[in-house]
Amino acid sequence: VTYRPNNMQKAIAFFAAGMINLKPRQIWLLEAGSGKSRMIASLALCLLLKTSCKHIHILVPNSLLLKRDQIEYSDYFMLCDQQDSVSYHETLDFEIKQDSVVLVDEADHFILSDPKLFARIISKIKTICFTATVCDNKSDLIERQIFVDLELNLLEYKTWGNALPKSKTVDEEV
């Protein structure tokens, strides 16, 4: 495996997977450069191997990132014979497979591009979203309200002392 998650990335992936039945719609606010792609690949594998999930849809907002992730993390899925259980998508226009989960990279891009379609998709399926957008100014507070309106459970991971109020950190949930 070329690209391995670090302990923090694995912890967030395992925690999100463990919370999927209790919180079937999650949005994680993470620091930029925290390795969301590695978390998503680890989370996908965890869900496929340890839950009743049969298929993972991974949403990535542009073709360059999508191709990069497909290549960099293909060995995760091949080593566990799960390569046919993962689909990558660049748009919200895809057919949802039964017993699947949607994992969303750069969730704010998809949510704000078509909030009604995004809401319709996540109302039918378990969804875990990731974003590095920080909700600390007026426009970001509007975005935070959109997350609430979409019934996304807001969680975040920040280094000690940098956590924002009114969201749950991993430490608070544990």
Side-chain angles (χ1 to χ4, degrees), residues 41 95 139:
E95 184 179 333
S139 65

Side-chain angles (χ1 to χ4, degrees), residues 41-76:
S42 299
L43 175 55
L45 194 55
C46 184
L47 289 168
L48 289 167
L49 297 176
K50 298 295 183 185
T51 69
S52 61
C53 175
K54 302 284 188 252
H55 195 86
I56 299 288
H57 297 280
I58 299 176
L59 287 167
V60 182
N62 72 53
S63 59
L64 293 176
L65 288 175
L66 187 145
K67 295 276 187 226
R68 181 203 69 183
D69 289 357
Q70 280 180 313
I71 292 167
E72 288 182 358
Y73 304 113
S74 62
D75 54 352
Y76 276 42

Side-chain angles (χ1 to χ4, degrees), residues 16-171:
M19 296 291 288
I20 192 94
N21 289 323
L22 182 62
K23 297 182 186 239
R25 286 185 287 288
Q26 305 171 27
I27 186 157
W28 284 83
L29 302 180
L30 303 166
E31 294 176 331
S34 60
K36 291 187 306 293
S37 294
R38 289 180 187 189
M39 287 178 217
I40 289 170
S42 299
L43 175 55
L45 194 55
C46 184
L47 289 168
L48 289 167
L49 297 176
K50 298 295 183 185
T51 69
S52 61
C53 175
K54 302 284 188 252
H55 195 86
I56 299 288
H57 297 280
I58 299 176
L59 287 167
V60 182
N62 72 53
S63 59
L64 293 176
L65 288 175
L66 187 145
K67 295 276 187 226
R68 181 203 69 183
D69 289 357
Q70 280 180 313
I71 292 167
E72 288 182 358
Y73 304 113
S74 62
D75 54 352
Y76 276 42
F77 307 116
M78 280 193 289
L79 287 172
C80 297
D81 198 29
Q82 296 294 322
Q83 64 272 19
D84 295 332
S85 301
V86 178
S87 301
Y88 284 84
H89 310 280
E90 189 178 347
T91 68
L92 294 171
D93 183 29
F94 62 93
E95 184 179 333
I96 297 172
K97 296 185 178 189
Q98 189 173 5
D99 297 323
S100 61
V101 172
V102 174
L103 305 179
V104 185
D105 191 6
E106 305 299 347
D108 51 330
H109 167 82
F110 291 103
I111 293 168
L112 298 175
S113 67
D114 194 338
K116 288 182 181 179
L117 178 57
F118 191 84
R120 194 166 49 249
I121 288 170
I122 69 168
S123 70
K124 302 174 186 175
I125 191 167
K126 293 176 181 176
T127 305
I128 302 176
C129 305
F130 294 89
T131 185
T133 300
V134 180
C135 297
D136 62 357
N137 66 42
K138 190 173 184 172
S139 65
D140 291 336
L141 292 176
I142 294 167
E143 190 169 306
R144 184 184 288 258
Q145 185 58 49
I146 292 169
F147 299 160
V148 170
D149 292 346
L150 289 170
E151 298 179 4
L152 288 166
N153 290 285
L154 185 60
L155 300 126
E156 70 175 334
Y157 179 85
K158 295 278 185 178
T159 53
W160 286 103
N162 292 330
L164 297 171
K166 297 185 180 175
S167 61
K168 297 284 188 188
T169 62
V170 171
D171 299 321

